[in-house]
Amino acid sequence: TTGMTLPLFEITVTGPENFSATRTFVSGESFTWTNLVPGTYTVTENKEGLSEEWTVPGEGTIEVVADETAVATITNTYLAEVVPVGSLTVGKIVTGNTTGMTLPLFEITVTGPEDFLATRTFVNGEIFTWANLVPGTYTVTKDQTGLSEEWTVTGEGTVEVVADETAVTTITNTFLAEVVPVGSLTVGKIVSGDTGDMILPLFEITVTGPEDFLATRAFVDGETYTWTNLEPGTYTVTEDQTGLSSDWTVTGEGTVEVVADETAVTTITNSYVMEARRKLPRADGNELLLAISVFSIALAGGFFHKGYRRKKKAKI
């Protein structure tokens, strides 16, 4: 009866002068009825509710004698056939390029003799053992419902469970999605010019590229940012000049090639040059010579004019 929850056993005693007493016993318990009239007593057990695997030796009659204690024992024997059993351990393993992926749950079902059926959910690396299995052939299957076609499964099939041993099998799910080589793009922002104590604006940079890639980000002076896992190809980097005065110029916009397993680097530079400080266009040689000649003539004319007046005064 190892591991069994034993039932309660109901025993009845009858005897002279219509004596009758019924009591419930547990295994190992004893009870004494006292002040009994001497005579023949009958001891029986109620077998209602007990399976046919239970036997009850010890029932019958017993003589109660004055000033003595008669003793009777009812023995219940459990004669169920002991069937040797085995165990089955199932493990779950995930392989493939699953880096950064949230792995699903994997549902495994075991069927076997005597209509055995058990389904359990596994996570990667988990094992579970079904015990007390009737020896025989068991089938282990994995439910692929909800998994994309990129998932394959191996290890399904039958396994033999032998008495007093533990059979072991492993279900492996492999993720076979094509690994696409990717690259990165680092964009930097630099501000130059006489910005003094100016509160610099934010500079909005947009990157577009293959497979409709589109990303916009605000930068401050001296900041860099890297976009990763980019499809190799040509990317365009532009800056939004909306809201910036004409004193601001931008260089570095254009296209950049992103190569697999490498990081492309580009820098957008904004220069601040106040309109009042910008240099005027330089005159060509003829214009400059003409300006000098005119200035010289004007200067000489003034000199000779003053000399003439002084000479005239001297005559007087």
Side-chain angles (χ1 to χ4, degrees):
T1 58
T2 302
M4 178 185 295
T5 300
L6 296 176
L8 295 175
F9 302 95
E10 187 178 87
I11 295 176
T12 298
V13 177
T14 58
E17 299 183 2
N18 296 322
F19 177 84
S20 178
T22 298
R23 190 177 188 282
T24 298
F25 286 74
V26 296
S27 178
E29 185 179 6
S30 64
F31 183 80
T32 301
W33 281 276
T34 61
N35 298 317
L36 297 182
V37 174
T40 301
Y41 287 77
T42 302
V43 181
T44 58
E45 181 177 284
N46 182 10
K47 302 181 187 58
E48 187 175 338
L50 296 180
S51 67
E52 59 184 13
E53 296 164 327
W54 287 100
T55 64
V56 190
E59 292 181 303
T61 60
I62 186 169
E63 289 297 319
V64 174
V65 180
D67 301 323
E68 295 183 10
T69 298
V71 179
T73 301
I74 301 293
T75 302
N76 286 78
T77 303
Y78 187 68
L79 297 179
E81 180 184 0
V82 178
V83 178
V85 293
S87 301
L88 172 60
T89 296
V90 176
K92 157 56 57 184
I93 293 178
V94 173
T95 62
N97 184 23
T98 59
T99 303
M101 178 186 297
T102 300
L103 295 177
L105 296 175
F106 302 93
E107 188 175 273
I108 295 176
T109 297
V110 178
T111 58
E114 299 185 0
D115 297 326
F116 179 84
L117 172 63
T119 298
R120 190 176 188 279
T121 299
F122 286 72
V123 296
N124 181 30
E126 184 177 6
I127 61 174
F128 182 80
T129 300
W130 282 275
N132 298 317
L133 299 182
V134 174
T137 301
Y138 288 75
T139 301
V140 182
T141 56
K142 162 75 181 61
D143 184 8
Q144 292 289 93
T145 303
L147 295 181
S148 67
E149 59 184 12
E150 296 165 327
W151 285 99
T152 63
V153 58
T154 57
E156 292 182 303
T158 59
V159 59
E160 287 297 319
V161 172
V162 180
D164 302 321
E165 294 183 13
T166 299
V168 178
T169 190
T170 301
I171 301 293
T172 301
N173 280 82
T174 303
F175 188 66
L176 296 179
E178 181 183 358
V179 179
V180 179
V182 294
S184 302
L185 171 60
T186 297
V187 176
K189 160 56 58 186
I190 293 178
V191 173
S192 65
D194 185 13
T195 57
D197 295 330
M198 178 189 297
I199 297 177
L200 296 176
L202 292 175
F203 302 93
E204 188 175 273
I205 295 176
T206 297
V207 178
T208 58
E211 296 187 0
D212 297 326
F213 179 84
L214 172 63
T216 298
R217 190 177 188 278
F219 285 72
V220 296
D221 180 27
E223 184 178 7
T224 63
Y225 183 80
T226 300
W227 282 274
T228 59
N229 297 319
L230 299 182
E231 181 80 14
T234 302
Y235 287 75
T236 302
V237 182
T238 57
E239 180 177 288
D240 184 7
Q241 295 288 298
T242 304
L244 295 180
S245 69
S246 59
D247 297 323
W248 286 101
T249 62
V250 59
T251 58
E253 293 182 302
T255 60
V256 59
E257 287 296 318
V258 172
V259 180
D261 302 321
E262 296 183 11
T263 299
V265 179
T266 190
T267 301
I268 301 294
T269 301
N270 285 77
S271 300
Y272 185 73
V273 181
M274 292 185 64
E275 187 70 30
R277 296 185 181 179
R278 290 180 181 168
K279 296 180 180 179
L280 296 174
R282 179 179 296 175
D284 61 24
N286 294 329
E287 291 175 342
L288 181 59
L289 180 59
L290 177 61
I292 293 173
S293 300
V294 171
F295 178 76
S296 299
I297 293 171
L299 181 61
F303 174 79
F304 288 124
H305 177 69
K306 288 181 180 180
Y308 172 76
R309 290 183 65 185
R310 287 176 183 170
K311 190 174 182 180
K312 184 175 181 179
K313 287 181 180 180
K315 288 180 178 183
I316 295 172

